[in-house]
Amino acid sequence: SQTIHQWPATLVQPVGSPLSLECTVEGTSNPNLYWYRQAAGRGLQLLFYSVGIGQISSEVPQNLSASRPQDRQFILSSKKLLLSDSGFYLCAWSFTGYGYTFGSGTRLTVV
Amino acid sequence: QKEVEQNSGPLSVPEGAIASLNCTYSDRVSQSFFWYRQYSGKSPELIMSIYSNGDKEDGRFTAQLNKASQYVSLLIRDSQPSDSATYLCAVNKAAGNKLTFGGGTRVLVKP
């Protein structure tokens, strides 16, 4: 069966510090991968998605970036965090036309 | 007009009653429809998917789809306090890789 791992679960980072969040999927090949952010009390905002290694589509211009160095690995990064980057970051995988399976999420607080 | 609209609630339901959640979408070519449940502080969990007009039942959950009216609903029968959560409606455009989420409906089941 497929599983998705996301870490860390919580993170407190100072403004201006770098960020690296990692997500890996097991038990499947060539999945679509997604990064979402959910601000407190708000809806899901799609940040990036990837249909294959090295293929990244950005949905929202911002100081975040994403990379997919391996088929089942998706990384979200920032060189310098802003206060507005605080939120609940969710990684998800799917096959085209089907629903997503989300990871357990990372709660990021930028102070 | 938002692409996927839901009443934010809260929808207050007595224990044992039926909770009825509604979702409308704007893109007529949408093909796949999903309901997610999100407990406070947790990641969304897929509970129902529906692809053709009509009803689909899974345990206490029934999803209803009417493509002509661009409307999808979720019924929760015999509501339990453990059903208290935010329910997200998600829509996949034709052959698309991305889901568009509604803002969610918060459901409170009172004992």
Side-chain angles (χ1 to χ4, degrees), chain A:
Chain A
S1 63
Q2 302 91 355
T3 56
I4 179 169
H5 303 279
Q6 193 179 340
W7 66 93
T10 60
L11 195 57
V12 179
Q13 293 284 98
V15 169
S17 63
L19 173 73
S20 181
L21 302 180
E22 189 165 341
C23 171
T24 59
V25 180
E26 294 179 357
T28 187
S29 296
N30 198 30
N32 298 329
L33 296 173
Y34 308 85
W35 278 111
Y36 277 83
R37 178 171 61 200
Q38 189 174 39
R42 306 289 295 276
L44 290 167
Q45 179 187 34
L46 178 62
L47 302 176
F48 301 95
Y49 73 96
S50 171
V51 299
I53 296 174
Q55 301 178 60
I56 309 294
S57 296
S58 174
E59 291 292 301
V60 183
Q62 56 203 334
N63 67 322
L64 299 172
S65 63
S67 63
R68 186 171 178 174
Q70 301 180 41
D71 180 44
R72 289 169 284 181
Q73 184 184 30
F74 205 23
I75 298 171
L76 181 70
S77 303
S78 174
K79 293 182 179 179
K80 289 185 177 182
L81 284 170
L82 307 173
L83 286 174
S84 58
D85 291 325
S86 294
F88 191 37
Y89 287 80
L90 291 157
C91 180
W93 77 271
S94 79
F95 292 125
T96 298
Y98 295 90
Y100 295 170
T101 298
F102 285 93
S104 55
T106 296
R107 191 160 305 280
L108 171 66
T109 303
V110 182
V111 296

